Amino acid sequence: NVTVNSNFGLYCTNSVGANSPIDYFNTSILGSILSANPSSGVAPLNNVSLAATTVGFTSGTYRYFFDCNNDGTNELDTGNVSANPFNAANLCNYPSPSNYTARITAWHSEGIATSTTSISVTAPPDFSLSVNPISDSVQRPNSTSFVVSAACSGSFSGPVTDLSVSNLHNNPGPVTFNPTSITCGGSTVLTIGTTNNTTPVGTPRTLTISGNGTGVGSRSTQTNLTVTILPRPTINISPVAFSFTVT
């Protein structure tokens, strides 16, 4: 089996073992080369172009079948064309992070050739925040604490900064984050205080805790907080009835 372009010679051997060349001939094998542009990027990676080049025969009519996902479904059948190489511009879309394989099948009067190329799609930089507990209550004038954690994905490496909390009760006590930023996989402690007589009590408030990541933007999480007061003492007077005499 001949798998590469080769040159062959025919020789005749005489009775004394001497070889004499009779003729030479060449063989050409149809091959193909496939490339993607871009070949890597962040999801969603759209409008990827595929370029196919056939080798072995530089003339004639070609027909290219482009399969963006190597799944047997051709996104483009060029029909008979003379172009070599052939560029399928903005042909493929890759919506989610993964390693993809594109495939080209090239038809020519001298044979069929196939080739593949890889496209690497990574997750976009991102992070998420979570809070524990997701609901709490605090008695005036005490304070309560929440643990706020950051999980990073894609190429985002942190830190999460500009931490804030919104929708607090009116007239809260001190509000602090310690530390003031969060590393990927790390956490901070949010402490919320109350004042003795002016922080409203009763209905739970949904607090929104936010942070900012460079190149990502703001992300947030929520928790509920209810402010209560110490129970009023009950005073019992005994006896509940009495009598006296005035003289």
Side-chain angles (χ1 to χ4, degrees):
N1 295 328
V2 180
T3 58
V4 296
N5 294 348
S6 304
N7 296 319
F8 294 91
L10 294 179
Y11 294 84
C12 180
T13 303
N14 59 25
S15 59
V16 296
N19 291 327
S20 300
I22 298 176
D23 199 1
Y24 297 92
F25 66 93
N26 300 322
T27 61
S28 296
I29 305 301
L30 183 69
S32 63
I33 301 171
L34 180 63
S35 61
N37 183 30
S39 60
S40 63
V42 173
L45 184 62
N46 296 325
N47 299 320
V48 175
S49 299
L50 298 180
T53 303
T54 59
V55 294
F57 295 90
T58 58
S59 62
T61 299
Y62 306 89
R63 184 174 180 180
Y64 301 95
F65 300 87
F66 290 90
D67 182 350
C68 291
N69 295 285
N70 196 24
D71 58 2
T73 300
N74 295 316
E75 279 71 23
L76 176 63
D77 174 357
T78 65
N80 293 329
V81 295
S82 59
N84 181 32
F86 186 95
N87 184 53
N90 305 324
L91 180 64
C92 304
N93 297 322
Y94 301 101
S96 57
S98 188
N99 291 318
Y100 297 88
T101 299
R103 181 183 181 92
I104 176 66
T105 301
W107 288 5
H108 186 271
S109 60
E110 300 297 331
I112 299 174
T114 63
S115 182
T116 60
T117 190
S118 297
I119 299 96
S120 176
V121 182
T122 57
D126 204 355
F127 72 92
S128 62
L129 295 176
S130 60
V131 60
N132 185 46
I134 59 172
S135 182
D136 198 11
S137 63
V138 60
Q139 290 182 341
R140 275 184 345 198
N142 298 320
S143 61
T144 187
S145 296
F146 300 88
V147 176
V148 183
S149 302
C152 303
S153 60
S155 60
F156 181 70
S157 59
V160 179
T161 59
D162 302 326
L163 300 173
S164 64
V165 56
S166 60
N167 201 37
L168 288 164
H169 296 78
N170 295 332
N171 303 312
V175 177
T176 61
F177 288 93
N178 185 25
T180 57
S181 63
I182 314 175
T183 59
C184 289
S187 62
T188 185
V189 176
L190 165 63
T191 302
I192 300 174
T194 61
T195 54
N196 192 30
N197 296 315
T198 58
T199 303
V201 300
T203 305
R205 284 279 188 120
T206 299
L207 309 182
T208 299
I209 304 163
S210 302
N212 185 71
T214 300
V216 176
S218 180
R219 300 289 184 267
S220 63
T221 187
Q222 292 183 323
T223 186
N224 292 320
L225 178 62
T226 303
V227 178
T228 64
I229 58 175
L230 291 171
R232 295 181 182 275
T234 301
I235 300 175
N236 296 317
I237 300 176
S238 182
V240 296
F242 61 92
S243 63
F244 61 91
T245 302
V246 177
T247 61

